[in-house]
Amino acid sequence: FQYLKRYDQGYNLDTFCYEAHSVEGSPAECLQQFLLHCGITDPSWSELRNFTWFLNIQLRDCEASVFCNPDFVQDTLRGF
């Protein structure tokens, strides 16, 4: 949710890193972001769960990768 919210607001996501157990927004706002970005019209709860699960794994792996660390790559992979 935090990545999607910042993406919609035009923030640079290259420098953002999720902090465990941090809470932002309301449950309704979170659901609205997921519905907006999941790519399915009228998704089921299962489809929303799969979307959030997949997105979470991808973002966690991205944060853990040295190749996505802006301090390591500097400006060589801007926007990657």
Side-chain angles (χ1 to χ4, degrees), residues 1 4 30-31 33-40 42-58 60:
F1 165 73
L4 295 175
C30 182
L31 180 59
Q33 284 292 327
F34 292 154
L35 289 169
L36 181 65
H37 290 281
C38 78
I40 300 173
D42 194 24
S44 67
W45 285 110
S46 178
E47 290 167 326
L48 283 175
R49 183 212 172 271
N50 290 338
F51 168 71
T52 57
W53 175 77
F54 178 77
L55 183 61
N56 186 52
I57 288 174
Q58 296 300 309
R60 186 178 54 209

Side-chain angles (χ1 to χ4, degrees), residues 6-78:
R6 283 169 176 76
Y7 174 78
D8 283 345
Q9 294 172 344
Y11 283 87
N12 179 4
L13 298 178
D14 292 340
T15 58
F16 176 70
C17 190
Y18 170 75
E19 288 185 38
H21 308 293
S22 63
V23 177
E24 293 182 13
S26 68
E29 187 181 8
C30 182
L31 180 59
Q32 183 179 19
Q33 284 292 327
F34 292 154
L35 289 169
L36 181 65
H37 290 281
C38 78
I40 300 173
T41 303
D42 194 24
S44 67
W45 285 110
S46 178
E47 290 167 326
L48 283 175
R49 183 212 172 271
N50 290 338
F51 168 71
T52 57
W53 175 77
F54 178 77
L55 183 61
N56 186 52
I57 288 174
Q58 296 300 309
L59 293 171
R60 186 178 54 209
D61 289 349
C62 180
E63 286 183 354
S65 172
V66 68
F67 297 107
C68 295
N69 182 333
D71 296 329
F72 176 73
V73 297
Q74 296 174 1
D75 66 351
T76 59
L77 297 174
R78 181 171 286 268

